[in-house]
């Protein structure tokens, strides 16, 4: 998994984290169906079919209609086959955040200044990429026209993680303090060095001429260094000294 930008959807593990509060669960319920005449039933079926067709189509979007929690997770790089499927280079592998492309119900596409969204009708892994059939994309030419589109998914559609896992996007921007309470800076981005994920932390500093610059610290995201992650408090506590 390699970091493409600060919105990467990769996930990482730590040895400990602040325990989330429990949420109450609610049972399913059903409503007693209302009796209809044959005419009403046919009209209802027609309306439902029309709604399904509309939901399956691609939509033109604007900055105002773009979801506030959209996270970039990949890019469309090619068409796949002849029936309108697209091929996506994901920013994270399956099992490390890339699963969101397989489970999300709607994809948001940005190409230049053009914004679109489409329901994901079917998606699966293929070699080292993801291939998908999107609503409104019915042939290879339409799929090819989407090449270069950056793919976004609403954060609310990301699959749930285990108790000791975190999506990169949720760590970026958190304050990092050490066990002595010293602020070490903020998480600017994440790096995958092949062995583990690494926090890239920026903090205010000065250069040799006294001009303000951004200093940088790299802390491996492993339990021996990362002690707690408190997303509610927007803080990560680490066993790390300022002069390391």
């Amino acid at each position: 998994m390699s970091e493409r930008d600060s919105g990467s959807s990769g996930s990482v593990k730590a040895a400990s984290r602040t325990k989330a509060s429990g949420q109450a669960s609610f049972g399913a319920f059903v409503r007693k169906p209302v009796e209809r005449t044959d005419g009403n039933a046919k009209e209802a079926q027609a309306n439902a079919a029309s709604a399904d067709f509309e939901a399956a189509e691609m939509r033109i979007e604007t900055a105002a209609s773009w979801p506030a929690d959209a996270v970039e997770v990949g890019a469309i790089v090619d068409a796949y086959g002849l029936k309108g499927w697209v091929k996506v280079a994901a920013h994270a592998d399956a099992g490390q955040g890339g699963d969101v492309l397989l489970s999300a119900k709607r994809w948001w596409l940005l190409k230049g200044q053009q914004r679109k969204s489409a329901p994901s009708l079917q998606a699966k892994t293929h070699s080292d990429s993801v291939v998908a059939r999107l609503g409104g994309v019915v042939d290879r030419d339409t799929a090819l026209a989407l090449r270069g589109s950056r793919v976004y998914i609403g954060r609310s559609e990301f699959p749930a993680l285990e108790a000791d896992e975190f999506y990169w996007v949720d760590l970026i921007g958190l304050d990092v303090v050490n066990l002595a309470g010293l602020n070490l800076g903020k998480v600017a981005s994440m790096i995958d060095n092949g062995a583990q994920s690494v926090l890239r932390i920026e903090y205010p500093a000065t250069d040799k001429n006294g001009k303000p610059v951004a200093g940088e610290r790299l802390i491996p995201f492993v339990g021996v260094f990362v002690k707690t992650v408190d997303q509610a408090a927007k803080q990560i506590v680490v066993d790390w000294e300022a002069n390391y």
Side-chain angles (χ1 to χ4, degrees):
M1 175 179 65
S2 61
E3 181 193 4
R4 306 292 177 91
D5 58 27
S6 62
S8 175
S9 63
S11 61
V12 292
K13 291 188 178 183
S16 61
R17 60 168 288 176
T18 302
K19 185 177 181 181
S21 59
Q23 294 183 341
S25 59
F26 297 86
F29 66 93
V30 294
R31 297 184 186 277
K32 184 178 179 181
V34 177
E35 292 184 5
R36 299 177 180 271
T37 63
D38 290 343
N40 287 341
K42 290 180 179 179
E43 181 180 355
Q45 290 174 353
N47 290 339
S50 177
D52 288 344
F53 178 79
E54 183 178 348
E57 288 297 290
M58 182 172 288
R59 299 194 311 236
I60 302 298
E61 302 289 349
T62 65
S65 64
W66 201 255
D69 65 344
V71 177
E72 185 177 345
V73 296
I76 296 177
V77 294
D78 206 351
Y80 176 75
L82 303 176
K83 297 183 178 181
W85 286 59
V86 295
K87 183 178 181 180
V88 179
H91 290 348
D93 297 332
Q96 295 180 306
D99 308 75
V100 65
L101 284 164
L102 305 179
S103 61
K105 295 180 180 179
R106 179 164 289 273
W107 290 16
W108 302 79
L109 309 176
L110 179 63
K111 185 176 182 180
Q113 299 300 313
Q114 189 177 50
R115 299 172 186 263
K116 298 179 179 180
S117 74
S120 176
L121 306 179
Q122 190 175 355
K124 59 184 179 181
T125 56
H126 177 72
S127 186
D128 59 348
S129 61
V130 173
V131 295
R133 182 168 66 93
L134 303 179
V137 185
V138 296
D139 55 40
R140 184 174 177 84
D141 288 341
T142 308
L144 286 171
L146 294 176
R147 282 188 300 184
S149 297
R150 295 155 65 183
V151 181
Y152 292 75
I153 302 296
R155 174 64 183 84
S156 58
E157 288 206 65
F158 281 35
L161 297 176
E162 298 295 331
D164 62 344
E165 293 180 325
F166 304 89
Y167 284 112
W168 283 11
V169 68
D170 294 335
L171 299 177
I172 294 169
L174 299 190
D175 290 314
V176 180
V177 300
N178 65 13
L179 296 175
L182 180 65
N183 193 309
L184 300 179
K186 289 183 180 290
V187 180
S189 64
M190 300 292 297
I191 300 170
D192 180 8
N193 67 7
Q196 68 263 319
S197 295
V198 178
L199 299 166
R200 188 179 75 82
I201 299 162
E202 289 187 353
Y203 61 94
T206 56
D207 64 13
K208 60 183 180 180
N209 297 317
K211 293 182 178 180
V213 295
E216 180 183 86
R217 293 186 173 95
L218 301 178
I219 302 179
F221 197 89
V222 293
V224 66
F225 300 126
V226 178
K227 298 308 177 184
T228 61
V229 176
D230 189 339
Q231 290 178 262
K234 300 184 181 302
Q235 185 181 87
I236 299 173
V237 177
V238 297
D239 185 1
W240 197 267
E241 298 300 325
N243 59 354
Y244 283 1

